[in-house]
Each structure stands twice: as structure tokens, then as C-alpha cells.
Amino acid sequence: MRVRAEVTQAFQYGLIIFTLTALLGLANATQIFGALDRNTLLTHLHSGTLGWITMGVIGIAIWIFARGDDDLAAPVMLSALSTAAYVMAFWSGVYILRGVFGLSELAVIVYWWWFVYTRAGGWAGIRRLDIPKLSVVLGLTTLVVGSTLGVTVQVLLATGNVLPTSFDLIGAHATAQTGGYLVLVAAGFAEWQLAGAAGKRSTLGLAQVYLLFVGGLVLAVSLLLASFLGPQLAQALPGVATLLTLAGIVIVAVRFGRTAIAAPWMAASGMRHIAVAVGFLVLAVILQAILVQQFIAAQGDVTKVSMGLLHALDHSYFIGVMTNVLFGAILVTTADRPRLWPWADHVIFWGLNLGAAAFIAVLLIVGSGEGAKPFTHPVSFVAPIMGLSALLGIATYLMRLMGAPAAVSARARA
Ligand code: HEM
Ligand code: HEM
């Protein structure tokens, strides 16, 4: 499929930064350099969520919303540079750099929100959007909210302040980004690819989008303001928010679960990646509901929730849902280019997904492997299957994205 050059560029920048995520993930899995410090873990986390996932989502946003006369090469390059700088600032541990580049990253995110909002036709246009596009617009809206909370943390730390204990800024930031932004964007893009025209506006579709949007925001706000809500509301609200998100996901399963299951699982196309992402989305939301239950039972004491469960939930979203969505998107956009290393498609698909499933199962059953001696915890054996498959995906897809579309190279040869 022919897509604009800027879509390809955004995917390329994302893949390059994802290399760092995967290498740090391998170091963490094998523990061959010992336990990773907090700065390095935050680099693993934000190189993945901003460098890989959000650069990829920028590519998807351009693909879905750009107009013919848009020239987006400079915004895409500046976004990649800002993101790379912020990721390195996380690694440096220098608070002032994190503050400055955190603010520039927020500017990048607000720009892309504004881009989809205006291309969607503003407030009047949004009321006519189909369900996949509406999901992406609302997902990016939650990304702006979550990123504003993240930058607030960053600016407070850069200006020498301690974080307020009365607001759970970090918890609210993390939940808005995963339980709101990622859920909506993944559901929207998956439907756009799997169901096509079936994504037109319907009451059930609108119920799905707004349940997911409100569920994500209410969960974030209920964590942010827990100490002001009074004990009963602080206990009840996260549960209510989780129920809204679960109801939204049930509608996802009803509306296009069957199309996902019917995907061509043995064909080396992007569709099976996108279809399996829908399965991981259901798993992630269920794990999130269990985590919220633990959090409520621990009366908001995050140190009492299971680290294995938290990391299982993280990788369900980041690898199971988003890496599959983006690998799927790249395969769809490169379908008309020479298929270099054709054998790699099956290794990447099965390695990434069986590796992720085994990693998640180990984290849930045995628990977190952090701090264990090298190769003494099962995480050391299963996470590398996922990490090496991701690295193979990065190399294969970067080469394919650099190749000219088949029609163009045939014309050049003639
Ligand atoms: C402009 C964008 C962003 C900024 C400024 C930002 C900032 C931050 C900061 C300051 C922290 C706390 C670091 C610490 O513990 O010292 C954090 C943690 C975190 N962020 Fe972000 N972030 C951004 C984007 C994202 C995105 C897109 C995601 C996910 C999709 C994400 C997920 C998380 C998670 C899961 C945590 C860990 C919370 C914990 O420790 O439990 N962030 N972020
Ligand atoms: C988008 C991609 C990814 C993101 C956003 C991400 C995020 C995270 C986060 C938030 C943590 C918890 C860190 C903490 O303790 O604060 C973590 C841990 C970990 N990550 Fe990733 N990750 C990604 C990809 C990968 C990949 C490709 C591997 C491959 C090996 C990997 C392996 C690990 C391992 C082994 C742990 C420690 C788990 C444990 O034993 O508890 N991650 N990651």
C-alpha cells in the first residue's frame, strides 16, 4: 500500500529508538550487567513508550489524517530529535535536562494532537467522525493529559521541589498513558485495518469509544485526587473506572473480535499482528482490573502490589498490543516493496508473541526477576526470545522501509 513518505520516516525513527529499548530489555532480562539503576529503567520505559510507540502513533496519525498538501517532513524529524533528546535526558539522570526536554516533548505531543484535531474538522467534524478516527483523536487527547501530568513531575523535580504527597502525579500519569491513550489508539487502528468500512458510526461503537475514554480519565483522576476524595470514594472510584473500561473492551470484542479471530494466521502479512494485538488488549485490560483490585485492597500503597503483575501488565500493553500494532502497520505499508528476508516474518511473529506470552506467564506465576543473579530466574530464558525477535523485526523492517516501492523500482529498471 502506498503511504506518504512521512509515515515511513516516523516508523523508521521509531524503529531506531526501539533498538535501545530492546537492548536494555535484554540486559534487564539476563542481568549480565547486574541490576539496572532507576535512570536506566526509565530510559527502557520511555524509549519504548515515546521513542517507539509514540513515534509510531505519529506515523499512524499522519497515515489516517494527513491532507494531500501537508508537508510534514520537518515536524516528523523535529519530533524524533526531541524524543531522542528526552530519552537521553532520562538516562543522564540530570533533572534540569529532563525538565527542558520534557517540556519540548509535551510541545511535540500537543502539536500532533492539534494536527489530528484540525484534520478531523475541529469540534464540528469530530461529531461526524467514524469510530476508528474518533478513537485516535480521543486517545491523543488523553495522551496530552497524561503527558501534562508527567511534565509537571519533571518541572517540579527540575526546580528542586519535592513531589506533593497529596497528589499521586506519577500513578495518574502512568494510568492515563496506558489505560487511556494506548487502549484507545490500539482499538481505533485495529478496527480501521480489520473492519474497514464496518467502523462507521453506530450507537454501540460510540458507547465503546466513550466508555474507554471516560474509563481511562476517571481512573487517572481517581488516583491523582485520592487523598481529597474521602476513603469511600477513593476506594470506589478506581473500581467504577475499571468497570467502564472493561465494558468498552467487551464491546470491542463483540464488534470486531470475530474478524480478528478469522485473520490469516499463517500468512506473512500485517493482519495477524493486528489481530493478535486485539487479544493482548483484552488480556491487558483484565490484568489492569486485577492490579486495581490489589491497589484498592492495599489502600493505595503501591509497594504492596505485585511487581510481577505490574510488569506483566506493562509488557501486555507495550509488546503484546502496541509492538504488534506497529509491526502490523509497517507490514501493511511495505506490502508493495521488495520483501527482503522473507523467512524473517514468521520468526518475528511467532518469536515475539510466544516470547511475550511466556514472559507474561512467568511474571504472573513466578514473579519479577529483577535483582536475581544472571540466568537464575526463568525471565532470563523467556524474555530474550521476545527481545531477539524484536531486534530481528527492527533490522528487517528498517531495510524494507528503505527499499523503493516495487512499482517505482520496476519503472526505474525499465
Ligand atoms: C511528554 C511525555 C512524557 C513525560 C514528560 C513523562 C514523564 C514521566 C516522569 C517524570 C515519570 C516519573 C519518573 C520518576 O519516577 O522519576 C514517568 C513515569 C512513567 N511514565 Fe512517563 N512521561 C511521558 C510519556 C509517557 C508515555 C507516552 C507513557 C506510556 C504510554 C508513559 C508511561 C510511564 C510509566 C508507566 C511510568 C512509571 C510509573 C511508575 O514508576 O510506576 N510515559 N513519566
Ligand atoms: C515498548 C517496549 C517496552 C516498554 C515500554 C517496556 C517497559 C518496561 C517497564 C515499565 C518495566 C518495569 C521497569 C521498572 O522496574 O520500573 C520493564 C521491565 C522489563 N522489561 Fe521492558 N519494556 C519494553 C520492551 C521490552 C523488551 C523488548 C524486552 C526484551 C527482553 C523487555 C524486557 C524487560 C524485562 C526483562 C524487565 C524486567 C521484568 C521483571 O523481571 O520484573 N522489555 N519494561
Side-chain angles (χ1 to χ4, degrees):
M1 170 176 202
R2 287 303 293 279
V3 287
R4 305 169 59 99
E6 298 98 318
V7 176
T8 307
Q9 278 155 12
F11 289 159
Q12 282 169 321
Y13 288 127
L15 285 167
I16 291 168
I17 305 180
F18 190 34
T19 312
L20 177 63
T21 318
L23 290 176
L24 292 178
L26 286 171
N28 204 7
T30 54
Q31 301 274 317
I32 44 176
F33 303 109
L36 304 185
D37 63 17
R38 181 88 194 129
N39 292 337
T40 313
L41 287 174
L42 286 171
T43 308
H44 173 63
L45 160 52
H46 287 93
S47 63
T49 55
L50 287 169
W52 166 231
I53 294 173
T54 303
M55 277 313 295
V57 169
I58 290 172
I60 286 179
I62 299 173
W63 184 3
I64 299 182
F65 287 99
R67 294 187 196 129
D69 59 349
D70 280 330
D71 181 0
L72 298 163
V76 168
M77 197 177 71
L78 287 174
S79 303
L81 285 176
S82 162
T83 308
Y86 188 38
V87 169
M88 294 325 284
F90 263 119
W91 215 351
S92 75
V94 180
Y95 280 151
I96 190 78
L97 289 179
R98 287 191 191 171
V100 170
F101 289 115
L103 280 167
S104 82
E105 191 61 17
L106 179 62
V108 165
I109 284 167
V110 171
Y111 172 84
W112 290 107
W113 174 83
W114 172 84
F115 168 81
V116 295
Y117 179 75
T118 49
R119 297 312 178 272
W123 185 239
I126 283 178
R127 282 181 286 171
R128 290 192 299 271
L129 280 186
D130 63 22
I131 302 303
K133 287 186 181 149
L134 185 60
S135 303
V136 174
V137 174
L138 294 182
L140 288 177
T141 306
T142 307
L143 173 65
V144 171
V145 175
S147 302
T148 307
L149 293 168
V151 165
T152 308
V153 172
Q154 216 66 107
V155 170
L156 284 173
L157 294 174
T159 47
N161 290 292
V162 282
L163 297 182
T165 45
S166 44
F167 296 96
D168 180 3
L169 284 163
I170 298 182
H173 161 71
T175 33
Q177 305 291 53
T178 50
Y181 158 53
L182 295 186
V183 172
L184 278 161
V185 170
F189 180 74
E191 180 170 3
W192 193 56
Q193 283 296 313
L194 291 171
K200 62 181 184 303
R201 273 173 99 90
S202 64
T203 312
L204 201 56
L206 287 172
Q208 167 196 312
V209 182
Y210 284 107
L211 281 167
L212 295 179
F213 181 56
V214 175
L217 283 183
V218 171
L219 185 58
V221 171
S222 66
L223 294 185
L224 182 68
L225 303 179
S227 55
F228 298 94
L229 293 175
Q232 277 184 332
L233 204 53
Q235 296 261 309
L237 215 50
V240 173
T242 309
L243 284 180
L244 298 181
T245 305
L246 279 171
I249 288 297
V250 169
I251 304 182
V252 165
V254 169
R255 289 184 60 245
F256 53 95
R258 220 172 323 160
T259 320
I261 291 170
W265 293 101
M266 294 300 153
S269 75
M271 283 310 150
R272 57 181 177 175
H273 279 281
I274 297 169
V276 81
V278 178
F280 274 110
L281 183 60
V282 175
L283 173 69
V285 169
I286 292 171
L287 294 180
Q288 180 174 303
I290 299 172
L291 189 81
V292 168
Q293 272 317 108
Q294 282 197 2
F295 189 72
I296 295 174
Q299 302 199 323
D301 182 355
V302 77
T303 59
K304 293 207 179 112
V305 304
S306 150
M307 277 304 120
L309 173 61
L310 179 61
H311 295 170
L313 165 63
D314 284 341
H315 292 86
S316 304
Y317 274 128
F318 303 142
I319 301 294
V321 178
M322 289 312 296
T323 300
N324 272 308
V325 158
L326 294 174
F327 278 3
I330 292 173
L331 282 168
V332 172
T333 58
T334 52
D336 65 343
R337 292 166 192 248
R339 209 169 131 232
L340 294 164
W341 294 2
W343 53 269
D345 289 301
H346 292 303
V347 182
I348 297 164
F349 178 76
W350 294 108
L352 187 82
N353 287 298
L354 294 177
F359 179 41
I360 291 166
V362 164
L363 287 171
L364 291 175
I365 297 163
V366 187
S368 167
E370 278 185 3
K373 295 232 157 20
F375 296 103
T376 54
H377 192 283
V379 157
S380 302
F381 301 96
V382 289
I385 304 174
M386 173 180 93
L388 293 172
S389 310
L391 283 175
L392 180 63
I394 293 169
T396 309
Y397 301 149
L398 270 177
M399 284 192 309
R400 291 193 194 162
L401 286 168
M402 280 189 301
V408 176
S409 46
R411 263 204 308 278
R413 275 196 304 275

